Structures are given as C-alpha cells and as structure tokens.
Amino acid sequence: MTEVVLDAVNKVYPDGFHAVRDVSLRVPDGELFVLLGPSGCGKSTLLRMVAGLEEITSGDLWLGGKYANHLQPRERDVAMVFQNGALYPHRDVRGNISFPLEIAKDDSPASHERIVELSRALGIEETLDRSPSTLSGGQRQRVAMGRALIREPGIFLMDEPLSNLDAGLRTELRMEIGALVHTLGVTTLYVTHDQTEALTLADRLAIMRRGVLQDVGTPQQVYDDPATMFVAAFLSAPPINLFKTGLWADQEEGIILGLGNQRLVLPWTDPRSPSLVSHHGKYITVGVRADALRPAADGLIAGRVRALEFHGSEWLAYAEAGLPHVDAEAPYENEPAWTSPEQRPGAGQGVLRRLLRTAGILADEPAPQPVQHDGHHRRSDVVFRLESRAGVSAGQAIRLAVDTDRMLFFGDDGRRIDPVRR
C-alpha cells in the first residue's frame, strides 16, 4: 500500500518567504489526487517536497507508511513528470523509456516486453525507434510518462504536464492519463492550474491559495459546496456572481438579504437560516452561479441587459442590476459604515430582535445599508446563462429568478457561513 500523508507541512525559504503553510493531506493508495491553484500558490513546491527535491521546513511526510522527511529522492519510490518532458535528445524513444531500467541494471526480456506494452498503452508504439526531435509535443509528453512509469513506482508525480500543449492535445492526453493511471492503480499526485483538468481528472482534489489549503473533496463536492469564497470563484466559468449584502433577521419574514436597492427573503424553514441568523446586522457575501439564474416575469432581481455573448451551445448575458460586486481576492477590510435603523432591509423585528440581543447574537448597532457600487474596474453585472437568446436583447429590462437552494453564503473571512457538507 502506497499512500501519501502530509502532516502540518511547512516550507519557508531562506529569504523568509512562507511558500506552504501547515498543509495536512492524506492521499490513499491508488488515488488520482489533484493539487489545484493559481501560479505561486505552493502546489508545485508541495509536490517537490513529496519528491524530495525540496526540503521540508517543518511537519511530517509519510510515504507508504514510512517516515520520509530524511529520505533521498532515489529512496522514495517516486517518479515525476515535469512540464516540458525533458527527454534525452541523443536517445531514441525506446532508449528514453528504458533509461531507468538501465540505471537499475535490469536487462531482462520481461523489461523489454514491458517497454512495448507501456508504449502501446500510451499510443506511441510506432515511435519507439524515432528521435525525440521528430515527435509532437503530445508524443514527447507520452514518452516522458512512459519513462517515469516503466519502473513501476509506488507514487507518480505530475507537475503541469499538459500546460505546454494546445487545447486539442490537452483534451486527448488528459483522457489518456486518467485511464492509464486508473488501469495501473498507481497513487498519483497531479499539479495543475487548469480547473477543467482538475475537475475531469481527479478522484479528489485540493485547492490552494498563497500556500494555504482552502478545500479538499471530490470534484462534485468542491464545485457544488465550496468551503471558501476563493474556491467558489476559482472553480467557476463563467465567473460566479459575488454580491456584498446586508443581512437582517425578521421575526415574520425570515432572513432578509439587502441586494442593492432590492431584497431577497429566505424563510425560516430554510435549513441555512440557523447559521445565517448569527450574522444578523452584518455584511456577508452571497455567491450565485450563472446557471442558478434565469429570466422570469416574477423574478426577484431587476436589471437591464447590457450585453450578450454567444458560446456555441449557450449564450451568456450580462445585466446591470445595481448590485455591489465582491472581488474574491480582495481583503475584507474597510467595511461600509452602518446606517440608521430606518434604512435597514426589514422592519419590525419585535420579539426575535430582543431574543437575539439577549443571547448575545445581536448588538445594538443598526443593520448595514446595502453597499453601492464603488467604481471598481469590474462592472457590477449579473452574469446568467441562456439556452437561446430568443426574447432577450441588449438594452431591455429584465427580471431574474434565483435558485435560492444553490446560493452560497460567505463571512468576512471568506469562509462559508452555512455548514459545508462532505
């Protein structure tokens, strides 16, 4: 059994840069685990620490149940494929794939047969006698994978192996990588910044930001139920709508969300209400994906269509609705000032207001005024999907219904307010 366990792992460089912060992960035997995040988030550094190419500053690494902090790379039973393939130009394809076997002095007939079988699985059997210079980018990456896999490592590490390929080759090779890894059953850590790659390949994935682990789960879990605002925004194409809103708990109506000059009400029967009520009188961020909005005559959000984009199988529409957008990367500082009780997005709190104050949940401050657009370079558009543009044109007034069950709620620390379901 070759599982990978990282326990509170840190990487601090001599100049003081903290590249990886207290990361704890467990990758079971045979799992294809993807490390996802933007450039500079620490995912490649984490992979290199597993490989033994970077020293762990603090924390523990276990490989196959064996403490591995002190082990040299050759002692870790890992194989790694880099972004550029890095083939030996003076060797043909067969010579590149067989190189690890030559180092191990394995010249058995079985090993030669394994080269042919692996090249067949990778779709490069006909290139075995060719020079790397005559191969396409996709073929070179397949050869690099074959060289890494030929000695049957316990752990397979891949550092953005498809980033230098064009879109068509990425799609083709991505499918082959997933099928090959699962066929071989080798524990695999795969680094990428491409969300499509991560969602289509991974058994599970971890999302990182600035060296900090943000979320871990299956692709479906982290997409549908993200733990942080950053994860919700990063795993979103088109970009998720993020609105800053004031929240007020009303005894009669429920949870009232002030969206610009508009308001949306969640009834007390909504299972998220107990979590949201603790943010009574505060600002929160609401996330709504484009496919959770649809035009409807009785829709809760009113606006005007600014632009339409054709994307082949669908249209994207952009509507100006006066809603204050939030940048998922922006620090949560300098919150807007509080306003008078008369301007709150709800009135007549009565018994509930007194109970909340008695329980220490509600302070005496009035509810926040819905935030107005502050002239940031990003337009305050609401993005929504259309199967057809029939009946929708730029400049027309529109109302949008919201699938409230799919709304996401984030606090001022960027983390989910309602419990994340895993």
Side-chain angles (χ1 to χ4, degrees):
M1 180 175 180
T2 308
E3 70 171 7
V4 179
V5 177
L6 299 101
D7 185 13
V9 167
N10 285 269
K11 176 62 182 180
V12 183
Y13 287 98
D15 63 359
F17 178 64
H18 204 154
V20 174
R21 299 172 179 266
D22 293 318
V23 170
S24 295
L25 285 172
R26 177 182 173 271
V27 182
D29 180 51
E31 185 172 69
L32 200 168
F33 190 90
V34 174
L35 294 169
L36 174 67
S39 297
C41 72
K43 57 189 184 295
S44 290
T45 302
L46 197 64
L47 196 75
R48 290 171 63 85
M49 286 193 286
V50 173
L53 303 178
E54 292 277 2
E55 184 180 349
I56 295 174
T57 304
S58 65
D60 299 316
L61 170 66
W62 301 80
L63 302 177
K66 185 177 182 180
Y67 184 69
N69 285 44
H70 63 287
L71 296 180
Q72 294 299 310
R74 64 179 179 274
E75 301 173 311
R76 298 190 179 205
D77 193 23
V78 302
M80 191 165 181
V81 174
F82 297 92
Q83 187 173 359
N84 59 10
L87 302 181
Y88 300 112
H90 62 287
R91 286 174 166 263
D92 60 15
V93 169
R94 189 188 306 271
N96 269 278
I97 294 176
S98 66
F99 184 74
L101 298 177
E102 294 174 23
I103 295 298
K105 299 186 178 351
D106 182 358
D107 193 33
S108 64
S111 66
H112 289 284
E113 181 61 29
R114 198 157 74 245
I115 292 173
V116 175
E117 290 176 358
L118 186 56
S119 66
R120 187 179 298 123
L122 290 166
I124 53 172
E125 184 181 10
E126 74 283 357
T127 69
L128 285 174
D129 298 319
R130 289 170 55 182
S131 167
S133 63
T134 67
L135 304 179
S136 68
Q139 288 172 327
R140 286 195 292 270
Q141 279 299 76
R142 288 183 176 95
V143 175
M145 290 174 57
R147 186 179 58 192
L149 291 169
I150 191 62
R151 62 182 183 83
E152 300 178 341
I155 302 166
F156 190 27
L157 308 177
M158 307 186 76
D159 192 1
E160 306 213 40
L162 307 183
S163 60
N164 289 338
L165 306 180
D166 61 45
L169 276 175
R170 281 203 305 271
T171 301
E172 178 185 348
L173 195 51
R174 182 175 70 226
M175 295 172 63
E176 292 178 2
I177 288 173
L180 182 64
V181 166
H182 286 115
T183 298
L184 296 174
V186 59
T187 306
T188 302
L189 272 67
Y190 185 107
V191 162
T192 184
H193 64 274
D194 186 311
Q195 59 167 291
T196 302
E197 233 171 86
L199 293 174
T200 54
L201 268 177
D203 294 325
R204 287 190 309 139
L205 67 155
I207 298 94
M208 295 183 67
R209 175 178 181 261
R210 298 178 183 176
V212 178
L213 197 62
Q214 298 285 307
D215 202 355
V216 180
T218 66
Q220 190 82 50
Q221 286 173 334
V222 297
Y223 183 85
D224 290 342
D225 204 24
T228 69
M229 187 192 310
F230 172 79
V231 173
F234 195 77
L235 292 177
S236 187
I240 189 172
N241 297 291
L242 294 171
F243 307 126
K244 184 68 87 178
T245 177
L247 185 150
W248 194 263
D250 181 88
Q251 181 182 7
E252 302 298 329
E253 295 188 74
I255 301 295
I256 300 173
L257 304 172
L259 296 168
N261 295 321
Q262 306 170 69
R263 58 183 235 156
L264 186 150
V265 180
L266 295 179
W268 287 114
T269 54
D270 190 298
R272 297 163 295 182
S273 292
S275 300
L276 291 171
V277 75
S278 64
H279 284 69
H280 171 80
K282 299 178 182 178
Y283 289 98
I284 66 168
T285 298
V286 175
V288 184
R289 298 198 187 276
D291 54 1
L293 295 162
R294 67 183 188 283
D298 59 348
L300 296 172
I301 296 177
R304 187 169 299 276
V305 178
R306 183 179 65 81
L308 293 162
E309 289 181 350
F310 181 56
H311 287 252
S313 61
E314 65 181 6
W315 288 80
L316 288 183
Y318 299 80
E320 174 60 60
L323 304 183
H325 275 256
V326 175
D327 185 348
E329 288 283 354
Y332 294 94
E333 298 176 345
N334 303 319
E335 292 291 340
W338 296 85
T339 56
S340 66
E342 289 75 19
Q343 294 175 303
R344 65 186 182 265
Q349 274 59 38
V351 175
L352 176 63
R353 179 179 173 84
R354 290 195 298 273
L355 290 173
L356 291 170
R357 187 186 295 113
T358 302
I361 296 174
L362 172 64
D364 289 329
E365 295 91 342
Q369 173 80 358
V371 188
Q372 301 301 319
H373 181 55
D374 62 2
H376 188 271
H377 71 278
R378 179 181 176 183
R379 300 181 69 102
S380 55
D381 289 329
V382 178
V383 185
F384 59 100
R385 281 192 167 113
L386 296 168
E387 292 184 3
S388 166
R389 66 168 297 174
V392 179
S393 58
Q396 81 173 67
I398 196 166
R399 299 194 72 90
L400 297 172
V402 184
D403 184 351
T404 56
D405 289 342
R406 296 182 58 198
M407 293 176 68
L408 304 169
F409 304 101
F410 304 97
D412 58 7
D413 60 355
R415 296 194 170 276
R416 283 278 294 282
I417 293 174
D418 49 320
V420 176
R421 300 173 296 276
R422 284 290 185 268

